[in-house]
Amino acid sequence: MGVSATSLAAFLFISCFICLCPELTMAQNAATGVTRHYKFDIRLHNVTRLCKTKSIITVNGKFPGPRIIAREGDRLVIKVVNHVSNNITIHWHGIRQLRTGWADGPAYITQCPIQTGQSYVYNFTIIGQTGTLWYHAHVSWIRSTLYGPILILPRLNTSYPFVKPYKEVPIIFGEWWNNDTEAVINQALQTGAGANISDAYTINGFPGPLYNCSKETFRLKVKPGKTYLLRLINAALNDELFFKIVNHTFTIVDADASYVKPFQTDTIFITPGQTTNVLFKTKSLSSNAKFLMAARPYSTAASGTFDNTTVVGVLEYNHDIKPFSNSSIKGLALPPLPAINATSYVANWTSKFRSLGNSQFPVNVPQTVQKQYFFTVGLGTDPCPKNQTCQGPNGTKFSASVNNVSFNNPTTALLQAHYSRKLNVLTSNFPAFPLNQFNYTGPPPNNTMVSHGTKVVTLPYNTTVELVMQGTSIQGAENHPLHLHGYNFYVVGQGTGNFNSATDPANFNLVDPVERNTVGVPAGGWVAIRFRADNPGVWFMHCHIEIHLSWGLKMAWAVMDGKLPNQKLLPPPLDLPKC
């Protein structure tokens, strides 16, 4: 992605953008707006970072990938052609995919992967969503380089519920490995240890000047006295991040493409998978001033080391045409960020989010629930195979689970099995509550082993659901960002320690809870969400810390068709990849 800000005018006059973007064509769609056609060629491309060049998997040779720009109500038709030796799927993170689960993208959940030389057309409509979402590969660790922003503008003749920004700038946080990330995860799964940490964090693909032999720095060039909309995306594989710009503040206006009651802050916290839109007003400065921006991790991890480094970018006022060099920012102060394990800051941050909740953007949180679930989420262990030395806790292998079930990927996509009623493939007996209760946030039980299976929760159409997700401390208390595909949900409560079903629900917010698609289960605590199961299909739910996903911290919901035609899953497309 480019390093300069993208003007709002370029967004609003999308026809001009089309002339400059060979990936996109557009056709009129009288019912909902327009149909936008993109083509994604998945190719290897040589990229140099930290003085090392490696071949990475990209969309159209771009890192990060090209922007998708659309309006609410638009239909997207995206042809993905796989030119690499790896299997590929792409997930359109946060898009609700109403009745179009075939376009959701997680491998072996809604589709089989796109194999080498094959293609697949993702076809879906953006309904009831405005803001920032993103796309990424959803098979193995390929999303480390294959990701990009989805920028959803309001419908024509409507506007944002906040001041009109002068410019809009996508900012994507990522992680960079000098080594091949497929080799990194394969080694971790083989040895049972934590994965090797990344070599750098990135902002829009650039590591910044604090890393050895780094020659690439993100530059945000601004004018004085203007209001910018920063579209923040955390595409990092394994780390939640704090972000700050020296001597500047933000106004939060959106989370996961849902408007929130605005509040001010000088420090952002964002988990992998989450997006946050912020208004950012520049100062009235006449000089060519520069300020550093920085992001570094939040972690309470006990499951191995993590990348404890800082990525830096530069905010530049009245920039001149002189070439940029790292020496030009020598002596600039770094922004003070919270401590690595600032759990109280994270809890306070998440408690500030409230849905906008006005007549134009109402809150539809279920006031009563028909199904209640209690899921424990956290790490555990697997026994070391015979004749092998393992590097996990006490000679075991790290594993992860929901209600002590570590998810096994099937060999047939679950959505295809669900649609064809091959229920022998779907094991519909995922436990609604932990089978073995214990002090979830206290000393670990003697047996830390997990079970394994491919199990789903089956829901009748339109069921109202309350789910409490309880973090465990079996292998150390960690924050787990849980992402639910196909749905937004309302975060109605959170707390520390063990959830108390007798007293904690009395404090649930059923008036204006924030609406999200990814939420952190607090380290040593719990979070409660509610949603209505009004989207038929099979929907993945998983931790968005990639190593936890690889270890099995995932499950699926199977939502049945409703009675009316517009409540039924659409038939599979003819080009749906086969396993």
Side-chain angles (χ1 to χ4, degrees):
M1 86 188 277
V3 296
S4 62
T6 302
S7 69
L8 181 64
F11 284 178
L12 298 181
F13 295 96
I14 294 180
S15 59
C16 296
F17 170 79
I18 295 166
C19 299
L20 301 174
C21 184
E23 295 89 7
L24 170 65
T25 59
M26 186 170 69
Q28 291 294 326
N29 184 331
T32 59
V34 298
T35 299
R36 305 185 187 279
H37 293 265
Y38 286 80
K39 185 180 180 185
F40 278 16
D41 286 301
I42 309 304
R43 298 186 183 276
L44 292 175
H45 183 71
N46 287 338
V47 172
T48 301
R49 296 290 185 268
L50 310 181
C51 291
K52 296 182 183 295
T53 300
K54 73 172 185 176
S55 188
I56 66 172
I57 299 176
T58 66
V59 175
N60 302 340
K62 297 181 178 180
F63 171 68
R67 299 168 184 172
I68 289 178
I69 302 178
R71 292 189 180 278
E72 181 192 350
D74 285 353
R75 178 186 171 206
L76 290 174
V77 179
I78 306 169
K79 183 176 183 179
V80 177
V81 185
N82 184 7
H83 301 280
V84 301
S85 60
N86 305 74
N87 286 340
I88 294 294
T89 70
I90 295 185
H91 170 51
W92 318 95
H93 185 112
I95 297 290
R96 284 213 54 197
Q97 300 291 359
L98 290 169
R99 303 174 62 217
T100 55
W102 310 105
D104 192 43
Y108 302 105
I109 304 299
T110 61
Q111 68 167 97
C112 298
I114 307 167
Q115 298 179 30
T116 306
Q118 296 183 347
S119 65
Y120 179 47
V121 176
Y122 292 90
N123 188 335
F124 55 90
T125 300
I126 300 171
I127 300 173
Q129 294 180 284
T130 303
T132 302
L133 297 172
W134 63 301
Y135 63 85
H136 59 83
H138 213 306
V139 56
S140 194
W141 278 28
I142 294 172
R143 81 170 179 89
S144 63
T145 60
L146 200 166
Y147 58 83
I150 303 175
L151 314 179
I152 308 172
L153 307 174
R155 290 179 181 269
L156 284 173
N157 303 317
T158 62
S159 60
Y160 297 123
F162 47 78
V163 62
K164 179 181 177 180
Y166 171 69
K167 287 185 178 180
E168 304 189 11
V169 187
I171 293 181
I172 307 183
F173 305 105
E175 282 185 276
W176 176 266
W177 277 260
N178 287 329
N179 294 327
D180 177 15
T181 52
E182 291 302 278
V184 170
I185 181 56
N186 289 338
Q187 180 186 32
L189 295 178
Q190 176 67 26
T191 64
N196 290 339
I197 62 173
S198 55
D199 293 283
Y201 296 109
T202 58
I203 300 177
N204 287 356
F206 301 133
L210 298 188
Y211 295 101
N212 290 333
C213 204
S214 176
K215 300 179 180 179
E216 307 88 5
T217 299
F218 171 69
R219 303 165 67 187
L220 176 55
K221 303 172 184 179
V222 298
K223 293 183 178 180
K226 300 291 186 181
T227 297
Y228 292 77
L229 181 69
L230 305 185
R231 295 172 173 264
L232 308 178
I233 301 168
N234 188 349
L237 257 68
N238 292 317
D239 287 295
E240 301 158 302
L241 297 170
F242 297 114
F243 174 67
K244 190 171 185 174
I245 302 177
V246 168
N247 291 341
H248 290 74
T249 58
F250 311 104
T251 300
I252 312 299
V253 294
D254 179 293
D256 291 353
S258 295
Y259 295 125
V260 300
K261 288 182 172 65
F263 66 91
Q264 288 192 332
T265 183
D266 64 0
T267 305
I268 305 291
F269 171 73
I270 187 168
T271 77
Q274 288 184 338
T275 64
T276 304
N277 282 3
V278 304
L279 294 177
F280 169 72
K281 189 170 182 179
T282 57
K283 298 178 181 296
S284 298
L285 299 174
S286 58
S287 62
N288 296 329
K290 293 183 177 69
F291 299 88
L292 294 186
M293 63 181 72
R296 77 174 182 198
Y298 161 69
S299 178
T300 60
S303 56
T305 57
F306 62 97
D307 185 351
N308 186 9
T309 64
T310 302
V311 57
V312 166
V314 184
L315 176 70
E316 299 181 80
Y317 280 77
N318 301 311
H319 61 278
D320 51 35
I321 60 174
K322 292 180 181 179
F324 178 83
S325 65
N326 288 343
S327 61
S328 68
I329 60 172
K330 187 176 182 179
L332 294 181
L334 280 170
L337 288 164
I340 295 293
N341 61 348
T343 300
S344 59
Y345 183 93
V346 171
N348 183 55
W349 163 267
T350 55
S351 68
K352 293 180 180 179
F353 283 81
R354 297 285 187 272
S355 287
L356 186 56
N358 59 23
S359 58
Q360 186 179 0
F361 303 101
V363 176
N364 295 313
V365 58
Q367 297 297 305
T368 59
V369 292
Q370 295 163 302
K371 295 283 188 179
Q372 289 183 308
Y373 298 90
F374 183 87
F375 290 175
T376 56
V377 297
L379 306 185
T381 56
D382 278 329
C384 188
K386 292 182 179 179
N387 301 319
Q388 182 179 333
T389 300
C390 295
Q391 300 173 12
N394 300 316
T396 63
K397 302 180 79 169
F398 271 116
S399 190
S401 65
V402 181
N403 273 357
N404 207 49
V405 178
S406 186
F407 188 87
N408 289 338
N409 282 336
T411 55
T412 300
L414 293 183
L415 184 59
Q416 291 173 278
H418 174 71
Y419 184 80
S420 59
R421 301 297 188 264
K422 294 181 179 178
L423 297 180
N424 59 314
V425 178
L426 288 175
T427 307
S428 303
N429 61 349
F430 190 90
F433 296 87
L435 299 180
N436 298 307
Q437 298 183 13
F438 59 97
N439 180 3
Y440 306 116
T441 57
N446 292 330
N447 183 4
T448 64
M449 299 296 177
V450 304
S451 63
H452 291 264
T454 304
K455 302 181 180 183
V456 302
V457 172
T458 300
L459 290 172
Y461 180 82
N462 221 34
T463 302
T464 54
V465 177
E466 179 180 285
L467 167 63
V468 175
M469 292 179 283
Q470 172 72 60
T472 68
S473 57
I474 294 175
Q475 294 297 335
E478 296 190 33
N479 206 66
H480 295 282
L482 266 290
H483 171 49
L484 176 60
H485 290 225
Y487 287 90
N488 282 354
F489 50 76
Y490 290 98
V491 183
V492 297
Q494 66 175 20
T496 58
N498 295 329
F499 175 75
N500 188 320
S501 59
T503 59
D504 285 327
N507 297 316
F508 283 179
N509 176 10
L510 302 181
V511 178
D512 60 352
V514 67
E515 186 177 1
R516 304 208 72 135
N517 62 60
T518 305
V519 66
V521 179
W526 57 269
V527 65
I529 67 172
R530 288 188 180 186
F531 65 94
R532 181 179 295 275
D534 57 359
N535 192 10
V538 176
W539 304 106
F540 208 22
M541 190 176 81
H542 61 89
C543 184
H544 225 281
I545 292 177
E546 208 69 15
I547 186 61
H548 296 172
L549 172 62
S550 300
W551 286 336
L553 210 168
K554 48 192 173 180
M555 54 83 64
W557 304 80
V559 179
M560 309 306 291
D561 284 348
K563 296 180 180 180
L564 301 178
N566 65 351
Q567 298 172 349
K568 299 182 184 300
L569 178 68
L570 294 173
L574 296 178
D575 64 339
L576 185 71
K578 295 179 174 57
C579 291

